[in-house]
Amino acid sequence: MSTDGHLRDLLTEALRQHGADYVEVRLEQTDSSHLLFRSRELEEVGRNQGLMGCVRAAVAGGWGFVSFQDLHSLKEKVATAVTYARMVGRERTMLAPVPPAQAVVPPRIVKDPRPIPLAEKKRLLDDYNTVLWSVPGVQSSTIAYVDTWRKVVFANSEGSYIQQERIDITLRITAVARNGGDVQQVGISVGSLGDFSIVERLEKEVRAIAQKAVGMLSAPPITPGRYTVLLDPILAGVFIHEAFGHLSEADHVYEDPRLQQIMVLGRRFGSPILNVVDGAAIPGLRGSYAYDDEGVPAQKTYLIREGVLVGRLHSRETAARMGEQPTGNARAVSAAFPPIVRMTNTLIEPGPHRLDDLLADIKDGIYCKNWYGGMTSMEQFTFSAGEAYRIRNGRVEELLRPVMLTGNLFTTLHHIDGIANDLEMNEGGGCGKGGQFPLPVSNGSPHIRIRDVLVVGR
């Protein structure tokens, strides 16, 4: 990318006399490395560097979008986006007002992965593979590592000029055990904003997932039925992200009349112990940043406060159209895409109880840990736990074969009757929406207890 001064001059000139209601330009430079093991073999290893950019223009409520991979003729690219916007604009452009921002945001660095040679990263993953395959019964495995440095320069026709850098690190390890046609798998997924040490010294966790995958082959199945369930922070975090967080994205609400009738601000969704927030202003997490991809400052937004729906997530356009305030949630996975409304760091806030307090009241229940997969359809959800254990008389007992939890989101939120004080955040993986995947996010929760949940085997 050009020097900062030259680049700023280029963008200033490109945004001059554009003839649109609004224009923004994003330029993105990336440098990433990745390694992928399938079973014992290293299948992929590589390093990718890239430079790309995009222009988004608004005219009479219509949007034009152009992406590119060089910085030549920026003014012509702006003109093309404006032309496209004119072709679809039929009404008034509506954007919530935001003061122009001038900022340079350096990356958060705790342990930088960039100086570490690929050979050293490979040795680390080789060690994990050795641990996985040292457990009798493991039949296959997957290890996927990625680190990405990203520098984004944002400028718009209102005078904002923002430069932000970040480093994302993710690692996913899965162990698979098989007995004839019975296949069981357990995995761990970790991630960090700028700290390579998150993927180091995981030998104990890696051995544990291999042993659990093998153990599931001989574990007893659950008798389908309604149980009191205790969700660990990872599964509870995925639940609140997938089942509730996406319904809080205002573009969904604005476009869906049925959802508008459900997601009414002021409606009670749970007991007074339930508080749900989303916010990129929460520091040091993979969903954290200073400004979103429209130049709006990061915030912390309460979605549910004391059981009542009090907020939702906005871009500048959805905020203006719904008469609410922007929340700094317009994000794009890369410069190949326009920003859309996305979550950042989404979590259930800690409650007053200790984990032992929640367990003590469960006579016959299920302890569900980690996540395997799931799906949502409006207010209906189905999630597969990564691990499940029987609870009897307040004690966590035997490992069970995999289970699925299914039900209605809003009924289930009302059935949360205990929230512990042990908040943990899950930073592995990424979020997908509108063809944009994987967007860096985090989700989290303390342990939560839910009454009367339908649990079945999978």
Side-chain angles (χ1 to χ4, degrees):
M1 205 179 287
S2 306
T3 61
D4 291 346
H6 179 59
L7 188 60
R8 186 161 189 156
D9 290 343
L10 277 177
L11 291 172
T12 300
E13 179 57 29
L15 290 169
R16 197 187 308 276
Q17 296 179 330
H18 48 75
D21 298 330
Y22 171 83
V23 180
E24 66 189 21
V25 180
R26 274 185 293 127
L27 304 178
E28 177 183 275
Q29 186 177 7
T30 58
D31 187 349
S32 69
S33 63
H34 69 277
L35 299 102
L36 174 64
F37 284 82
R38 292 192 190 280
S39 292
R40 300 176 189 270
E41 303 299 324
L42 177 62
E43 187 172 285
E44 295 179 21
V45 58
R47 181 178 177 187
N48 300 309
Q49 296 174 307
L51 173 64
M52 64 188 312
C54 64
V55 177
R56 190 174 68 141
V59 177
W63 288 98
F65 183 79
V66 174
S67 65
F68 47 85
Q69 295 182 316
D70 64 70
L71 302 185
H72 301 299
S73 306
L74 271 180
K75 198 166 187 65
E76 284 75 8
K77 293 178 171 80
V78 169
T80 300
V82 173
T83 298
Y84 292 166
R86 290 188 189 284
M87 294 171 66
V88 295
R90 296 289 185 274
E91 52 186 15
R92 182 165 61 95
T93 297
M94 297 182 69
L95 293 174
V98 175
Q102 311 283 320
V104 175
V105 183
R108 173 185 185 263
I109 297 178
V110 179
K111 184 171 184 177
D112 194 339
R114 292 173 293 176
I116 301 172
L118 268 174
E120 186 173 332
K121 296 170 183 172
K122 177 181 177 296
R123 279 196 294 274
L124 177 67
L125 304 187
D126 281 336
D127 290 344
Y128 293 156
N129 230 4
T130 300
V131 173
L132 282 172
W133 286 89
S134 70
V135 177
V138 169
Q139 295 294 308
S140 65
S141 62
T142 304
I143 300 177
Y145 167 86
V146 180
D147 63 58
T148 303
W149 167 82
R150 176 174 282 107
K151 177 180 178 180
V152 177
V153 176
F154 170 90
N156 69 15
S157 55
E158 298 172 342
S160 287
Y161 187 90
I162 301 166
Q163 175 182 303
Q164 298 186 94
E165 293 180 60
R166 60 181 293 136
I167 300 171
D168 285 286
I169 302 141
T170 60
L171 174 66
R172 172 76 181 174
I173 302 177
T174 304
V176 180
R178 180 191 301 272
N179 182 10
D182 187 2
V183 179
Q184 301 294 342
Q185 70 175 43
V186 179
I188 56 171
S189 184
V190 298
S192 172
L193 184 65
D195 186 4
F196 181 79
S197 66
I198 194 71
V199 303
E200 299 178 307
R201 296 178 290 280
L202 294 175
E203 289 81 2
K204 182 179 177 181
E205 290 83 354
V206 171
R207 183 177 302 281
I209 65 169
Q211 292 171 335
K212 288 173 184 173
V214 175
M216 281 184 181
L217 293 173
S218 56
I222 185 75
T223 301
R226 293 192 170 277
Y227 293 88
T228 295
V229 300
L230 184 67
L231 304 189
D232 83 331
I234 293 177
L235 185 55
V238 171
F239 166 73
I240 205 66
H241 171 103
E242 295 290 350
F244 179 77
H246 281 297
L247 295 185
S248 297
E249 294 167 338
D251 50 349
H252 289 319
V253 180
Y254 181 76
E255 295 166 359
D256 189 332
R258 182 165 176 260
L259 199 53
Q260 291 170 19
Q261 295 177 353
I262 296 173
M263 299 296 284
V264 177
L265 298 182
R267 178 178 174 180
R268 178 163 291 282
F269 279 2
S271 75
I273 64 172
L274 181 62
N275 294 287
V276 179
V277 302
D278 178 280
I282 302 170
L285 300 171
R286 290 193 66 227
S288 305
Y289 48 77
Y291 296 88
D292 74 359
D293 288 321
E294 291 183 327
V296 179
Q299 300 178 29
K300 177 180 176 182
T301 304
Y302 271 88
L303 304 176
I304 294 177
R305 189 192 292 270
E306 297 182 349
V308 175
L309 185 69
V310 295
R312 44 184 151 241
L313 308 178
H314 281 295
S315 64
R316 290 183 65 185
E317 183 176 36
T318 62
R321 292 188 179 278
M322 299 180 75
E324 299 174 6
Q325 294 299 311
T327 57
N329 285 87
R331 306 181 65 189
V333 73
S334 76
F337 297 92
I340 55 178
V341 182
R342 306 297 297 268
M343 282 173 274
T344 58
N345 306 302
T346 311
L347 60 99
I348 297 174
E349 288 192 329
H353 304 293
R354 297 178 306 139
L355 173 58
D356 288 346
D357 298 332
L358 301 187
L359 267 172
D361 291 338
I362 303 177
K363 301 303 179 188
D364 182 14
I366 311 294
Y367 180 31
C368 297
K369 298 182 65 177
N370 211 334
W371 65 279
Y372 177 75
M375 59 178 294
T376 61
S377 177
M378 192 66 82
E379 66 264 44
Q380 299 299 318
F381 69 85
T382 298
F383 287 109
S384 297
E387 305 164 40
Y389 301 82
R390 198 61 183 260
I391 301 173
R392 294 188 182 89
N393 299 316
R395 296 174 59 90
V396 177
E397 299 192 341
E398 75 271 17
L399 176 71
L400 298 169
R401 294 178 71 81
V403 303
M404 292 192 302
L405 287 62
T406 186
N408 178 283
L409 164 68
F410 302 113
T411 300
T412 302
L413 290 176
H414 278 286
H415 286 176
I416 296 175
D417 71 347
I419 299 177
N421 56 8
D422 54 354
L423 172 66
E424 294 181 22
M425 298 300 295
N426 168 33
E427 301 189 76
C431 179
K433 177 183 174 183
Q436 298 194 39
F437 175 84
L439 188 75
V441 296
S442 76
N443 54 70
S445 173
H447 280 85
I448 61 173
R449 186 178 62 201
I450 313 174
R451 302 288 184 187
D452 197 29
V453 177
L454 179 59
V455 182
V456 299
R458 66 169 168 85

